[in-house]
Amino acid sequence: MSTVVHTQDAPLHDLTQDPRYIGHSPERPSARRLVQGQGCYVDDIELPRMAHVVYWRSPVAHCRITRIQGDFARRMPGVLLVADGPMLAKICKPWVATLGHLANMKSAPQYPLAMERAHWQGEPVVAIVAETRAQAEDALQYLQVEWELLPAVVNMETALDPSTPVIHPELGDNLCFTRSLDTGGVDEAFAQADQVVNTTFEFGRHTGVTLEPRCQIADWRTAEQQLTVYHSQQAPHMMQDLYARQFSIPESSVRVICKDVGGSFGIKVHAYPDDFATVALSMMLGRPVKFVADRMESFTSDIHARHHRIDARIAVRNNGEILAFEIDDLTGIGPFSMFPRTSAIEGNQVVNLVGGPYKHQHYRAKLNVVFQNKTPTCQYRGVGHPIACAVTEGLVDMAARAIAMDPLEIRRRNVIPDDAYPCSGISGIKLEGLSHQACLDKLEGLMNYSALRAEQAALREQGIYRGIGIAALIELTNPSAAFYGVGGARIASQDGATARLDPNGGVTVMVSVGEQGQGNDAIYTQIAADAVGVDMAQVRVVTGDTEVTPYGGGTWASRGAGIGGEAVLLAGQALRANILKVAAVILKREVSEIELHRGQVVDALTREVLTPLTEVGRIAYFRSDLLPNDFTPELSVTRHYAQRDYPFIFTNGMQASYVEVDPDTGFVKLLQHWAVEDCGRVINPRLVDEQIRGAIVQGIGGAMLEECLYDDQGLMLNANMADYLVPMCSEMPDIHVAHVQTPTKSSQLGAKGAGEAGTAGAPAAVMNAINDALAPFKAQVVSQPFTPEKVLKALGKV
């Protein structure tokens, strides 16, 4: 069940002459191919002489490798190579993942395979390459590795204690990064408050469970000195650059190809040790090498995220005015900062975003990012947003309860007014144009708030405890170079598109932003069709190949529509102009007298068809003798776009959750969920709505089910799909989606991002709904995931 409401706040006439597709929901061009099983994923690719690698990964959290005996494994059938860290270090340089604008951040050098020590359960130590995957796995059983167990830093809360071992002695301590922010006047604001509410929020580690695990094929061709890597990745040009630098080969000698990608969520935007190891092995053997992670190893080799403990408080007056927020965030990131985006970004985002939607003037924050002997953490869908939103909105609900004010009303009184933009948030973030007031009004009507409160009260009389939770959110999208480039990371903030008219009248568009399952291929087809003036069926989109697409940043930070889409629009508009120049010469008319409409060149006034686009293509490509000697058709154009007006373009929304809590069992039943989202111009309503629904489900997964559980030795206890819980369809509520549209003025298209907003707001809304249901018992839960055990503990029953 869904409710979709759209408002169009900006006309399309300035973008296209015939806006048939932008703002509508045609079928995705790739949909039929994928549902018919004709997708091409990395594991589908077979190359001549291809070998397969499996990795022996550390079974413990911290150890010194004392001896590797690979002789028996080498003698196994089909085995081509057994390699360790020192062997690969001869051809691959180590890396250190820090960013220059994160002052005093530090991390230790990392290698493709562990050198002398393994630092977490799951770190790759030895590679075995064989003719087949089965042979490599069989040989793995004959590998002998001896190690000396070392003390493991497991608890992030004691990571900085003097008595805790230092994981990397050369760094001096286990502190990766620290940051403080103080706007001033915080103590005075708390002293003046009528109510001060404080608590400690906890966020359990969890990870992304993609349909397609991480995988790649590295193909080093010795004769050509050419490296081709087939990858399940979000940023092919980033990986092209990293491979070139780490292996000291020209970037022009590296090609990265990402065909169909079965989900990513940020898991596949990082460079992992085994990425470099697989390339090194191909270079050593001079033949293609395939690595496909199995589901078990993915749980300890893929990045984790969201591991935070945050002491937080809010100051509020009895009239509902929020005066100040204060947080102290401690987060554990594993033994290394991930390359090249760094593991400090998530905590840094939390500091930037807490209190974001509100107009208070006082804020103080402290962040400590510490090393530990667990799987590294890094950017995952939302990157700090779900944490910051849960802290902010949890405090706002607690404040409302303390002053006996309706939670919707306290937000209405405190959100930054819609007419106050552009302005700066309390942490200094620049906000172009948000619409919390409009979203709140639409949410109130969409969920029929007053009737829902009446139903809640009536059911409580019957001993049924339901709760309503509200969350206001902001989401960072369309980042400029202020995200990574300013810190020295070679991660492009711009993207490009090449649009080409083919002789048959079709249009081929090559885009540097890839397709990960979210529907980028669909919106680029829509944008190109409208911009050029052809049917969608005439447009073919190519992504994910560094050899043919323009250079760009790829898929991350909800930038597919806002950055990639704008590049497609600009390229389409330029191609349209060039087509009309050619047509004007052919027809012996002025360009101003003709127009391109639905694949036909027409008279601009009468709309009389003058010539089909196929005829323009035929003459331009095959009959240049019919054109003047001083005229050359330019029917392939490339345009780039980088958002420069703001460090980021923020989007916003409101979410609400309706739940029922059983006080006897602690079980929470999710009944309804509502989201009103403002992601700027909506290109494809159906895709946006399903992106938001999918993100909400993922956010609910982190709030209710998903957690990487460790023992006191740093070993993950539930690294399998039987014990690591993910949300299933039957457990999810009906999700209702509506929109307010405030197009960004930083681009013609006006699109912001939508891919992460659902994840940002859902945990906060669900948490507040649970605590609203528990209010009659004067109990609350603030530790995610909200398991039945935690609910019963809050109720004092266990």
Side-chain angles (χ1 to χ4, degrees), residues 62-93:
H62 198 194
C63 67
R64 178 175 290 106
I65 307 299
T66 58
R67 181 170 178 266
I68 297 174
Q69 173 55 265
D71 290 345
F72 293 109
R74 289 187 182 93
R75 295 170 188 161
M76 290 293 290
V79 172
L80 302 170
L81 180 65
V82 178
D84 59 16
M87 294 171 64
L88 270 57
K90 293 177 181 178
I91 59 174
C92 180
K93 293 182 290 189

PDB file of all heavy atoms in Angstrom, residues 62-93:
ATOM      1  N   HIS A  62      43.781 -10.338  16.817  1.00  0.00           N
ATOM      2  CA  HIS A  62      45.103  -9.724  16.828  1.00  0.00           C
ATOM      3  C   HIS A  62      46.144 -10.808  17.048  1.00  0.00           C
ATOM      4  O   HIS A  62      46.071 -11.557  18.031  1.00  0.00           O
ATOM      5  CB  HIS A  62      45.190  -8.674  17.941  1.00  0.00           C
ATOM      6  CG  HIS A  62      46.326  -7.702  17.766  1.00  0.00           C
ATOM      7  ND1 HIS A  62      46.763  -6.873  18.775  1.00  0.00           N
ATOM      8  CD2 HIS A  62      47.129  -7.429  16.703  1.00  0.00           C
ATOM      9  CE1 HIS A  62      47.766  -6.121  18.339  1.00  0.00           C
ATOM     10  NE2 HIS A  62      47.999  -6.445  17.082  1.00  0.00           N
ATOM     11  N   CYS A  63      47.087 -10.901  16.148  1.00  0.00           N
ATOM     12  CA  CYS A  63      48.118 -11.929  16.299  1.00  0.00           C
ATOM     13  C   CYS A  63      49.369 -11.535  15.525  1.00  0.00           C
ATOM     14  O   CYS A  63      49.324 -10.732  14.588  1.00  0.00           O
ATOM     15  CB  CYS A  63      47.619 -13.298  15.829  1.00  0.00           C
ATOM     16  SG  CYS A  63      47.298 -13.396  14.049  1.00  0.00           S
ATOM     17  N   ARG A  64      50.489 -12.137  15.934  1.00  0.00           N
ATOM     18  CA  ARG A  64      51.738 -12.013  15.182  1.00  0.00           C
ATOM     19  C   ARG A  64      51.900 -13.280  14.348  1.00  0.00           C
ATOM     20  O   ARG A  64      51.824 -14.393  14.878  1.00  0.00           O
ATOM     21  CB  ARG A  64      52.926 -11.828  16.125  1.00  0.00           C
ATOM     22  CG  ARG A  64      54.284 -11.736  15.408  1.00  0.00           C
ATOM     23  CD  ARG A  64      55.428 -11.429  16.347  1.00  0.00           C
ATOM     24  NE  ARG A  64      55.348 -10.048  16.846  1.00  0.00           N
ATOM     25  CZ  ARG A  64      54.974  -9.710  18.086  1.00  0.00           C
ATOM     26  NH1 ARG A  64      54.623 -10.663  18.957  1.00  0.00           N
ATOM     27  NH2 ARG A  64      54.916  -8.444  18.453  1.00  0.00           N
ATOM     28  N   ILE A  65      52.103 -13.109  13.055  1.00  0.00           N
ATOM     29  CA  ILE A  65      52.285 -14.254  12.171  1.00  0.00           C
ATOM     30  C   ILE A  65      53.725 -14.737  12.332  1.00  0.00           C
ATOM     31  O   ILE A  65      54.674 -14.006  12.024  1.00  0.00           O
ATOM     32  CB  ILE A  65      52.010 -13.873  10.704  1.00  0.00           C
ATOM     33  CG1 ILE A  65      50.634 -13.205  10.564  1.00  0.00           C
ATOM     34  CG2 ILE A  65      52.114 -15.106   9.817  1.00  0.00           C
ATOM     35  CD1 ILE A  65      49.472 -14.051  10.961  1.00  0.00           C
ATOM     36  N   THR A  66      53.889 -15.944  12.833  1.00  0.00           N
ATOM     37  CA  THR A  66      55.246 -16.463  13.089  1.00  0.00           C
ATOM     38  C   THR A  66      55.751 -17.395  11.996  1.00  0.00           C
ATOM     39  O   THR A  66      56.955 -17.496  11.774  1.00  0.00           O
ATOM     40  CB  THR A  66      55.287 -17.196  14.439  1.00  0.00           C
ATOM     41  OG1 THR A  66      54.330 -18.278  14.435  1.00  0.00           O
ATOM     42  CG2 THR A  66      54.940 -16.232  15.580  1.00  0.00           C
ATOM     43  N   ARG A  67      54.833 -18.074  11.295  1.00  0.00           N
ATOM     44  CA  ARG A  67      55.280 -19.009  10.256  1.00  0.00           C
ATOM     45  C   ARG A  67      54.135 -19.312   9.298  1.00  0.00           C
ATOM     46  O   ARG A  67      52.999 -19.525   9.725  1.00  0.00           O
ATOM     47  CB  ARG A  67      55.772 -20.313  10.898  1.00  0.00           C
ATOM     48  CG  ARG A  67      56.292 -21.354   9.906  1.00  0.00           C
ATOM     49  CD  ARG A  67      56.964 -22.494  10.677  1.00  0.00           C
ATOM     50  NE  ARG A  67      57.437 -23.546   9.798  1.00  0.00           N
ATOM     51  CZ  ARG A  67      56.737 -24.648   9.485  1.00  0.00           C
ATOM     52  NH1 ARG A  67      55.531 -24.837  10.010  1.00  0.00           N
ATOM     53  NH2 ARG A  67      57.233 -25.567   8.685  1.00  0.00           N
ATOM     54  N   ILE A  68      54.429 -19.257   8.008  1.00  0.00           N
ATOM     55  CA  ILE A  68      53.464 -19.667   6.986  1.00  0.00           C
ATOM     56  C   ILE A  68      54.095 -20.802   6.201  1.00  0.00           C
ATOM     57  O   ILE A  68      55.143 -20.637   5.565  1.00  0.00           O
ATOM     58  CB  ILE A  68      53.126 -18.490   6.046  1.00  0.00           C
ATOM     59  CG1 ILE A  68      52.442 -17.362   6.836  1.00  0.00           C
ATOM     60  CG2 ILE A  68      52.224 -18.958   4.909  1.00  0.00           C
ATOM     61  CD1 ILE A  68      52.212 -16.099   6.028  1.00  0.00           C
ATOM     62  N   GLN A  69      53.489 -21.956   6.256  1.00  0.00           N
ATOM     63  CA  GLN A  69      53.986 -23.136   5.544  1.00  0.00           C
ATOM     64  C   GLN A  69      52.995 -23.464   4.429  1.00  0.00           C
ATOM     65  O   GLN A  69      51.894 -23.954   4.670  1.00  0.00           O
ATOM     66  CB  GLN A  69      54.122 -24.317   6.519  1.00  0.00           C
ATOM     67  CG  GLN A  69      54.467 -25.648   5.873  1.00  0.00           C
ATOM     68  CD  GLN A  69      55.727 -25.606   5.027  1.00  0.00           C
ATOM     69  OE1 GLN A  69      55.644 -25.410   3.805  1.00  0.00           O
ATOM     70  NE2 GLN A  69      56.883 -25.740   5.653  1.00  0.00           N
ATOM     71  N   GLY A  70      53.410 -23.148   3.203  1.00  0.00           N
ATOM     72  CA  GLY A  70      52.509 -23.347   2.074  1.00  0.00           C
ATOM     73  C   GLY A  70      52.883 -24.489   1.159  1.00  0.00           C
ATOM     74  O   GLY A  70      52.251 -24.662   0.105  1.00  0.00           O
ATOM     75  N   ASP A  71      53.894 -25.289   1.534  1.00  0.00           N
ATOM     76  CA  ASP A  71      54.372 -26.332   0.628  1.00  0.00           C
ATOM     77  C   ASP A  71      53.298 -27.365   0.302  1.00  0.00           C
ATOM     78  O   ASP A  71      53.143 -27.777  -0.855  1.00  0.00           O
ATOM     79  CB  ASP A  71      55.592 -27.036   1.228  1.00  0.00           C
ATOM     80  CG  ASP A  71      56.821 -26.134   1.257  1.00  0.00           C
ATOM     81  OD1 ASP A  71      56.777 -25.095   0.565  1.00  0.00           O
ATOM     82  OD2 ASP A  71      57.781 -26.446   1.971  1.00  0.00           O
ATOM     83  N   PHE A  72      52.552 -27.789   1.316  1.00  0.00           N
ATOM     84  CA  PHE A  72      51.516 -28.804   1.061  1.00  0.00           C
ATOM     85  C   PHE A  72      50.418 -28.226   0.165  1.00  0.00           C
ATOM     86  O   PHE A  72      49.905 -28.911  -0.729  1.00  0.00           O
ATOM     87  CB  PHE A  72      50.924 -29.304   2.385  1.00  0.00           C
ATOM     88  CG  PHE A  72      51.899 -30.070   3.224  1.00  0.00           C
ATOM     89  CD1 PHE A  72      52.404 -29.534   4.391  1.00  0.00           C
ATOM     90  CD2 PHE A  72      52.329 -31.331   2.835  1.00  0.00           C
ATOM     91  CE1 PHE A  72      53.306 -30.236   5.173  1.00  0.00           C
ATOM     92  CE2 PHE A  72      53.231 -32.035   3.606  1.00  0.00           C
ATOM     93  CZ  PHE A  72      53.729 -31.493   4.778  1.00  0.00           C
ATOM     94  N   ALA A  73      50.047 -26.977   0.405  1.00  0.00           N
ATOM     95  CA  ALA A  73      49.013 -26.338  -0.420  1.00  0.00           C
ATOM     96  C   ALA A  73      49.490 -26.203  -1.860  1.00  0.00           C
ATOM     97  O   ALA A  73      48.712 -26.395  -2.802  1.00  0.00           O
ATOM     98  CB  ALA A  73      48.661 -24.964   0.155  1.00  0.00           C
ATOM     99  N   ARG A  74      50.772 -25.894  -2.059  1.00  0.00           N
ATOM    100  CA  ARG A  74      51.301 -25.725  -3.421  1.00  0.00           C
ATOM    101  C   ARG A  74      51.235 -27.020  -4.224  1.00  0.00           C
ATOM    102  O   ARG A  74      51.177 -26.995  -5.461  1.00  0.00           O
ATOM    103  CB  ARG A  74      52.741 -25.226  -3.365  1.00  0.00           C
ATOM    104  CG  ARG A  74      52.890 -23.785  -2.898  1.00  0.00           C
ATOM    105  CD  ARG A  74      54.327 -23.298  -3.019  1.00  0.00           C
ATOM    106  NE  ARG A  74      54.455 -21.928  -2.524  1.00  0.00           N
ATOM    107  CZ  ARG A  74      54.794 -21.610  -1.288  1.00  0.00           C
ATOM    108  NH1 ARG A  74      55.053 -22.583  -0.403  1.00  0.00           N
ATOM    109  NH2 ARG A  74      54.876 -20.342  -0.929  1.00  0.00           N
ATOM    110  N   ARG A  75      51.277 -28.148  -3.540  1.00  0.00           N
ATOM    111  CA  ARG A  75      51.282 -29.440  -4.228  1.00  0.00           C
ATOM    112  C   ARG A  75      49.887 -29.926  -4.589  1.00  0.00           C
ATOM    113  O   ARG A  75      49.742 -30.935  -5.281  1.00  0.00           O
ATOM    114  CB  ARG A  75      51.953 -30.488  -3.347  1.00  0.00           C
ATOM    115  CG  ARG A  75      53.434 -30.212  -3.097  1.00  0.00           C
ATOM    116  CD  ARG A  75      53.988 -31.134  -2.044  1.00  0.00           C
ATOM    117  NE  ARG A  75      55.348 -30.753  -1.657  1.00  0.00           N
ATOM    118  CZ  ARG A  75      55.944 -31.139  -0.533  1.00  0.00           C
ATOM    119  NH1 ARG A  75      55.284 -31.896   0.337  1.00  0.00           N
ATOM    120  NH2 ARG A  75      57.176 -30.758  -0.274  1.00  0.00           N
ATOM    121  N   MET A  76      48.868 -29.202  -4.140  1.00  0.00           N
ATOM    122  CA  MET A  76      47.504 -29.627  -4.415  1.00  0.00           C
ATOM    123  C   MET A  76      47.167 -29.402  -5.890  1.00  0.00           C
ATOM    124  O   MET A  76      47.730 -28.517  -6.540  1.00  0.00           O
ATOM    125  CB  MET A  76      46.526 -28.847  -3.534  1.00  0.00           C
ATOM    126  CG  MET A  76      46.591 -29.227  -2.062  1.00  0.00           C
ATOM    127  SD  MET A  76      46.014 -30.914  -1.784  1.00  0.00           S
ATOM    128  CE  MET A  76      44.267 -30.722  -2.099  1.00  0.00           C
ATOM    129  N   PRO A  77      46.267 -30.214  -6.437  1.00  0.00           N
ATOM    130  CA  PRO A  77      45.923 -30.104  -7.863  1.00  0.00           C
ATOM    131  C   PRO A  77      45.443 -28.700  -8.234  1.00  0.00           C
ATOM    132  O   PRO A  77      44.635 -28.100  -7.517  1.00  0.00           O
ATOM    133  CB  PRO A  77      44.790 -31.127  -8.030  1.00  0.00           C
ATOM    134  CG  PRO A  77      44.993 -32.108  -6.929  1.00  0.00           C
ATOM    135  CD  PRO A  77      45.551 -31.332  -5.778  1.00  0.00           C
ATOM    136  N   GLY A  78      45.944 -28.182  -9.331  1.00  0.00           N
ATOM    137  CA  GLY A  78      45.485 -26.916  -9.878  1.00  0.00           C
ATOM    138  C   GLY A  78      46.060 -25.677  -9.241  1.00  0.00           C
ATOM    139  O   GLY A  78      45.830 -24.571  -9.741  1.00  0.00           O
ATOM    140  N   VAL A  79      46.819 -25.804  -8.165  1.00  0.00           N
ATOM    141  CA  VAL A  79      47.328 -24.626  -7.476  1.00  0.00           C
ATOM    142  C   VAL A  79      48.426 -23.964  -8.308  1.00  0.00           C
ATOM    143  O   VAL A  79      49.357 -24.614  -8.778  1.00  0.00           O
ATOM    144  CB  VAL A  79      47.847 -24.983  -6.069  1.00  0.00           C
ATOM    145  CG1 VAL A  79      48.561 -23.781  -5.442  1.00  0.00           C
ATOM    146  CG2 VAL A  79      46.681 -25.414  -5.183  1.00  0.00           C
ATOM    147  N   LEU A  80      48.300 -22.667  -8.479  1.00  0.00           N
ATOM    148  CA  LEU A  80      49.255 -21.893  -9.283  1.00  0.00           C
ATOM    149  C   LEU A  80      50.195 -21.063  -8.423  1.00  0.00           C
ATOM    150  O   LEU A  80      51.338 -20.814  -8.808  1.00  0.00           O
ATOM    151  CB  LEU A  80      48.498 -20.967 -10.236  1.00  0.00           C
ATOM    152  CG  LEU A  80      47.536 -21.641 -11.210  1.00  0.00           C
ATOM    153  CD1 LEU A  80      46.670 -20.599 -11.912  1.00  0.00           C
ATOM    154  CD2 LEU A  80      48.314 -22.457 -12.235  1.00  0.00           C
ATOM    155  N   LEU A  81      49.699 -20.595  -7.267  1.00  0.00           N
ATOM    156  CA  LEU A  81      50.503 -19.694  -6.463  1.00  0.00           C
ATOM    157  C   LEU A  81      49.974 -19.658  -5.039  1.00  0.00           C
ATOM    158  O   LEU A  81      48.763 -19.650  -4.823  1.00  0.00           O
ATOM    159  CB  LEU A  81      50.457 -18.274  -7.064  1.00  0.00           C
ATOM    160  CG  LEU A  81      51.239 -17.173  -6.349  1.00  0.00           C
ATOM    161  CD1 LEU A  81      52.736 -17.440  -6.407  1.00  0.00           C
ATOM    162  CD2 LEU A  81      50.911 -15.807  -6.957  1.00  0.00           C
ATOM    163  N   VAL A  82      50.894 -19.642  -4.094  1.00  0.00           N
ATOM    164  CA  VAL A  82      50.583 -19.354  -2.693  1.00  0.00           C
ATOM    165  C   VAL A  82      51.411 -18.131  -2.320  1.00  0.00           C
ATOM    166  O   VAL A  82      52.642 -18.157  -2.412  1.00  0.00           O
ATOM    167  CB  VAL A  82      50.914 -20.530  -1.768  1.00  0.00           C
ATOM    168  CG1 VAL A  82      50.626 -20.149  -0.309  1.00  0.00           C
ATOM    169  CG2 VAL A  82      50.096 -21.768  -2.156  1.00  0.00           C
ATOM    170  N   ALA A  83      50.757 -17.044  -1.964  1.00  0.00           N
ATOM    171  CA  ALA A  83      51.457 -15.775  -1.758  1.00  0.00           C
ATOM    172  C   ALA A  83      51.124 -15.190  -0.397  1.00  0.00           C
ATOM    173  O   ALA A  83      50.010 -15.332   0.109  1.00  0.00           O
ATOM    174  CB  ALA A  83      51.073 -14.776  -2.854  1.00  0.00           C
ATOM    175  N   ASP A  84      52.130 -14.515   0.192  1.00  0.00           N
ATOM    176  CA  ASP A  84      51.930 -13.856   1.477  1.00  0.00           C
ATOM    177  C   ASP A  84      52.194 -12.353   1.352  1.00  0.00           C
ATOM    178  O   ASP A  84      52.489 -11.840   0.262  1.00  0.00           O
ATOM    179  CB  ASP A  84      52.808 -14.484   2.558  1.00  0.00           C
ATOM    180  CG  ASP A  84      54.297 -14.408   2.229  1.00  0.00           C
ATOM    181  OD1 ASP A  84      54.683 -13.620   1.336  1.00  0.00           O
ATOM    182  OD2 ASP A  84      55.094 -15.128   2.859  1.00  0.00           O
ATOM    183  N   GLY A  85      52.116 -11.656   2.463  1.00  0.00           N
ATOM    184  CA  GLY A  85      52.240 -10.217   2.469  1.00  0.00           C
ATOM    185  C   GLY A  85      53.537  -9.680   1.893  1.00  0.00           C
ATOM    186  O   GLY A  85      53.511  -8.782   1.034  1.00  0.00           O
ATOM    187  N   PRO A  86      54.702 -10.179   2.337  1.00  0.00           N
ATOM    188  CA  PRO A  86      55.962  -9.657   1.793  1.00  0.00           C
ATOM    189  C   PRO A  86      56.091  -9.845   0.282  1.00  0.00           C
ATOM    190  O   PRO A  86      56.670  -8.993  -0.392  1.00  0.00           O
ATOM    191  CB  PRO A  86      57.022 -10.465   2.555  1.00  0.00           C
ATOM    192  CG  PRO A  86      56.363 -10.802   3.862  1.00  0.00           C
ATOM    193  CD  PRO A  86      54.928 -11.048   3.511  1.00  0.00           C
ATOM    194  N   MET A  87      55.543 -10.925  -0.259  1.00  0.00           N
ATOM    195  CA  MET A  87      55.619 -11.131  -1.707  1.00  0.00           C
ATOM    196  C   MET A  87      54.842 -10.053  -2.454  1.00  0.00           C
ATOM    197  O   MET A  87      55.327  -9.478  -3.440  1.00  0.00           O
ATOM    198  CB  MET A  87      55.076 -12.524  -2.061  1.00  0.00           C
ATOM    199  CG  MET A  87      55.916 -13.683  -1.536  1.00  0.00           C
ATOM    200  SD  MET A  87      55.103 -15.289  -1.762  1.00  0.00           S
ATOM    201  CE  MET A  87      55.030 -15.393  -3.543  1.00  0.00           C
ATOM    202  N   LEU A  88      53.645  -9.733  -1.986  1.00  0.00           N
ATOM    203  CA  LEU A  88      52.825  -8.735  -2.667  1.00  0.00           C
ATOM    204  C   LEU A  88      53.326  -7.321  -2.426  1.00  0.00           C
ATOM    205  O   LEU A  88      53.147  -6.437  -3.272  1.00  0.00           O
ATOM    206  CB  LEU A  88      51.367  -8.864  -2.232  1.00  0.00           C
ATOM    207  CG  LEU A  88      50.487  -9.815  -3.074  1.00  0.00           C
ATOM    208  CD1 LEU A  88      51.045 -11.217  -3.125  1.00  0.00           C
ATOM    209  CD2 LEU A  88      49.049  -9.828  -2.552  1.00  0.00           C
ATOM    210  N   ALA A  89      53.972  -7.102  -1.278  1.00  0.00           N
ATOM    211  CA  ALA A  89      54.477  -5.762  -0.969  1.00  0.00           C
ATOM    212  C   ALA A  89      55.586  -5.331  -1.913  1.00  0.00           C
ATOM    213  O   ALA A  89      55.883  -4.138  -2.009  1.00  0.00           O
ATOM    214  CB  ALA A  89      54.976  -5.725   0.472  1.00  0.00           C
ATOM    215  N   LYS A  90      56.195  -6.284  -2.629  1.00  0.00           N
ATOM    216  CA  LYS A  90      57.253  -5.940  -3.581  1.00  0.00           C
ATOM    217  C   LYS A  90      56.710  -5.211  -4.808  1.00  0.00           C
ATOM    218  O   LYS A  90      57.450  -4.499  -5.489  1.00  0.00           O
ATOM    219  CB  LYS A  90      57.984  -7.210  -4.017  1.00  0.00           C
ATOM    220  CG  LYS A  90      58.774  -7.877  -2.900  1.00  0.00           C
ATOM    221  CD  LYS A  90      59.423  -9.167  -3.392  1.00  0.00           C
ATOM    222  CE  LYS A  90      60.197  -9.854  -2.264  1.00  0.00           C
ATOM    223  NZ  LYS A  90      60.797 -11.135  -2.708  1.00  0.00           N
ATOM    224  N   ILE A  91      55.408  -5.390  -5.094  1.00  0.00           N
ATOM    225  CA  ILE A  91      54.861  -4.753  -6.294  1.00  0.00           C
ATOM    226  C   ILE A  91      53.709  -3.791  -6.004  1.00  0.00           C
ATOM    227  O   ILE A  91      53.297  -3.046  -6.892  1.00  0.00           O
ATOM    228  CB  ILE A  91      54.391  -5.804  -7.328  1.00  0.00           C
ATOM    229  CG1 ILE A  91      53.322  -6.723  -6.736  1.00  0.00           C
ATOM    230  CG2 ILE A  91      55.565  -6.614  -7.844  1.00  0.00           C
ATOM    231  CD1 ILE A  91      52.738  -7.662  -7.775  1.00  0.00           C
ATOM    232  N   CYS A  92      53.205  -3.799  -4.772  1.00  0.00           N
ATOM    233  CA  CYS A  92      52.115  -2.885  -4.412  1.00  0.00           C
ATOM    234  C   CYS A  92      52.547  -2.043  -3.223  1.00  0.00           C
ATOM    235  O   CYS A  92      52.918  -2.576  -2.175  1.00  0.00           O
ATOM    236  CB  CYS A  92      50.836  -3.650  -4.084  1.00  0.00           C
ATOM    237  SG  CYS A  92      49.429  -2.588  -3.626  1.00  0.00           S
ATOM    238  N   LYS A  93      52.480  -0.720  -3.378  1.00  0.00           N
ATOM    239  CA  LYS A  93      52.886   0.173  -2.295  1.00  0.00           C
ATOM    240  C   LYS A  93      51.838   0.166  -1.177  1.00  0.00           C
ATOM    241  O   LYS A  93      50.645  -0.015  -1.424  1.00  0.00           O
ATOM    242  CB  LYS A  93      53.046   1.592  -2.841  1.00  0.00           C
ATOM    243  CG  LYS A  93      54.203   1.747  -3.813  1.00  0.00           C
ATOM    244  CD  LYS A  93      54.354   3.178  -4.297  1.00  0.00           C
ATOM    245  CE  LYS A  93      53.231   3.589  -5.218  1.00  0.00           C
ATOM    246  NZ  LYS A  93      53.481   4.916  -5.863  1.00  0.00           N
TER     247      LYS A  93
END
